[in-house]
Structure formats: structure tokens, C-alpha cells
């Protein structure tokens, strides 16, 4: 598997762990000094904090499920790959995307003794202020991923 393909597979496992509401599986994908920046700007450092924080979120909130389209997977250095994706969220029990929470996600994957780990994961709202056609286009593309039954298209 190429370095970009391995990083995309890591990203898919991360979203699968989120969708399964498995805080520990999500956190286990991070490097010891890995960071996660949530949709609301919340920052979490290291697998321990990430796991504890997500466990509380999953316990108290009905989180939506992700689908995503990888826009780019690019090697930026020895053992370092950046994955950039458009992501949408489907409310639990729903059958369509909530376009108001579309996001652009960035994952920085590093090689950690032969295993891919998340060094940084960030999710940024894709509001596209003043450009409703961009929201519609992104939502349509993500809806096609949702309808295909997969989580991540690459």
C-alpha cells in the first residue's frame, strides 16, 4: 500500500470509529502527541484526552455519522501525509445529510514505527458564506457517497 493510500485508510478507520461511537478506537489511532480539533474549535491533546472527551460526548449526545470524499492525499515529507476531505454528517436515524454541518477535514498522518498514526485531525465548518451553490454542490457530492453505502470515497 502506498503512503497516501495508507493515510486514507487511516482516515477511513477514524471516521468508522466515530460512526461506531467508539471513543477508544478513535483515540487509539492517534500518535502519543496527536491532536484533534473539533468542529467547534475544541482542542484535545493525546489519545488519553481524546478518548475521555469523546466518551463523554458519545454518552451525552446523539452524534451524527460521517461520510466523506477525499480531495487529496499528499506526501509532504518522509513518513508524513496530508489527507484533505469534504465531509458531511447524517443525523442518527436520518437518511440525508445536514448541509449546515458540512465540513472540510484535514488529517496529518505520520509513520510511527511502520504504523500510520494521526498527528493532527481538524474539522472546519464548510459554510461557504454567500455561496449557496457551493454548499449545494458539496451536499450533492456527499449524498452520492451516502447513497453508495460507503463511508469514504477516494
Amino acid at each position: 500500500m502506498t503512503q497516501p493510500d495508507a493515510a486514507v485508510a487511516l482516515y477511513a478507520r477514524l471516521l468508522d470509529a466515530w460512526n461506531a461511537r467508539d471513543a477508544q478506537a478513535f483515540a487509539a489511532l492517534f500518535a502519543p502527541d496527536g491532536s484533534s480539533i473539533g468542529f467547534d474549535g475544541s482542542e484535545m491533546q493525546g489519545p488519553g484526552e481524546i478518548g475521555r472527551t469523546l466518551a463523554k460526548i458519545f454518552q451525552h449526545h446523539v452524534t451524527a455519522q460521517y461520510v466523506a470524499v477525499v480531495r487529496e492525499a499528499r506526501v509532504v515529507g518522509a513518513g508524513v501525509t496530508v489527507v484533505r476531505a469534504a465531509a458531511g454528517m447524517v443525523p442518527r436515524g436520518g437518511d440525508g445529510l445536514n448541509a449546515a454541518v458540512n465540513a472540510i477535514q484535514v488529517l496529518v498522518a505520520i509513520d510511527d514505527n511502520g504504523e500510520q498514526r494521526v498527528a493532527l485531525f481538524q474539522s472546519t465548518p464548510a459554510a461557504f458564506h454567500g455561496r449557496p451553490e457551493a454548499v449545494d454542490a458539496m451536499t450533492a457530492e456527499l449524498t452520492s457517497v451516502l447513497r453508495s453505502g460507503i463511508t469514504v470515497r477516494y
Side-chain angles (χ1 to χ4, degrees):
M1 183 179 299
T2 68
Q3 190 173 320
D5 290 343
V8 170
L10 175 65
Y11 174 65
R13 288 194 312 275
L14 190 74
L15 294 191
D16 286 341
W18 175 278
N19 290 349
R21 299 169 49 86
D22 189 335
Q24 296 315 308
F26 187 97
L29 297 171
F30 282 79
D33 60 349
S35 302
S36 182
I37 303 171
F39 191 79
D40 68 350
S42 299
E43 296 181 76
M44 296 168 278
Q45 305 298 320
E49 182 180 1
I50 292 167
R52 286 188 303 275
T53 302
L54 288 185
K56 289 177 188 173
I57 290 169
F58 292 152
Q59 181 180 20
H60 298 291
H61 301 283
V62 180
T63 54
Q65 294 182 281
Y66 280 116
V67 294
V69 175
V70 173
R71 301 271 191 238
E72 175 183 37
R74 176 172 43 103
V75 176
V76 296
V80 181
T81 306
V82 171
V83 176
R84 185 175 48 83
M89 299 185 88
V90 181
R92 297 279 169 173
D95 62 355
L97 291 158
N98 176 358
V101 292
N102 285 349
I104 302 300
Q105 295 182 330
V106 176
L107 179 141
V108 177
I110 59 168
D111 182 284
D112 183 19
N113 295 316
E115 190 170 350
Q116 291 286 300
R117 294 275 183 213
V118 179
L120 173 68
F121 177 63
Q122 181 169 350
S123 193
T124 302
F128 301 122
H129 298 294
R131 295 181 291 144
E133 69 285 351
V135 173
D136 292 345
M138 184 176 182
T139 302
E141 182 180 23
L142 291 166
T143 297
S144 74
V145 176
L146 175 62
R147 298 288 179 248
S148 76
I150 62 173
T151 301
V152 175
R153 179 185 294 157
Y154 177 45

